[in-house]
Amino acid sequence: MQHAQYLLFSSVGCHLCEQAYAICLEQIPTDSLRVVDILDDDDKDPEESGSLYSKYGLAIPVLMRSDNKTELYWPFDGLSLQEFLS
C-alpha cells in the first residue's frame, strides 16, 4: 500500500519553516515529505493570483497532504500533526 505524500510549503531563511520541518521529520518518512519553496513557482509571477507566493506568502509554513489536498497551517506541534496525519 502506498502512503500519502506531503508538501511543506516553505521559503529559504524562514525559521518557522525550519521548526515545522523538524516536527514533520519526527512523524513523516523522508521519502514522503517534499519541501516546496513558494518563491520557486517557475511558471508564475510571485505577485500573480494563483501563485504559491500569493497563496502562502504570509501563512508559511503550511503542510499539505497530496492525496486529499487538506492543509495544516502553522503553528502546529507533534500532537496536531499526528491528528492531521491520521
Side-chain angles (χ1 to χ4, degrees):
M1 182 173 112
Q2 186 176 3
H3 43 81
Q5 297 293 308
Y6 300 92
L7 303 175
L8 180 63
F9 294 105
S10 178
S11 188
V12 174
C14 169
H15 72 283
L16 297 176
C17 299
E18 293 170 3
Q19 291 175 21
Y21 182 69
I23 292 169
C24 289
L25 284 179
E26 293 173 3
Q27 298 186 45
I28 300 173
T30 56
D31 64 336
S32 296
L33 179 63
R34 188 173 130 224
V35 177
V36 177
D37 190 322
I38 61 169
L39 296 178
D40 286 345
D41 198 358
D42 294 334
D43 299 334
K44 298 187 184 245
D45 180 308
E47 300 299 326
E48 182 181 323
S49 177
S51 74
L52 293 177
Y53 178 81
S54 68
K55 183 172 182 179
Y56 297 113
L58 298 176
I60 60 171
V62 178
L63 182 66
M64 182 198 312
R65 289 181 65 124
S66 62
D67 58 348
N68 62 12
K69 305 298 185 211
T70 56
E71 297 172 329
L72 179 63
Y73 284 79
W74 187 260
F76 55 83
D77 58 13
L79 182 59
S80 56
L81 177 59
Q82 186 176 25
E83 291 172 4
F84 177 74
L85 298 175
S86 60

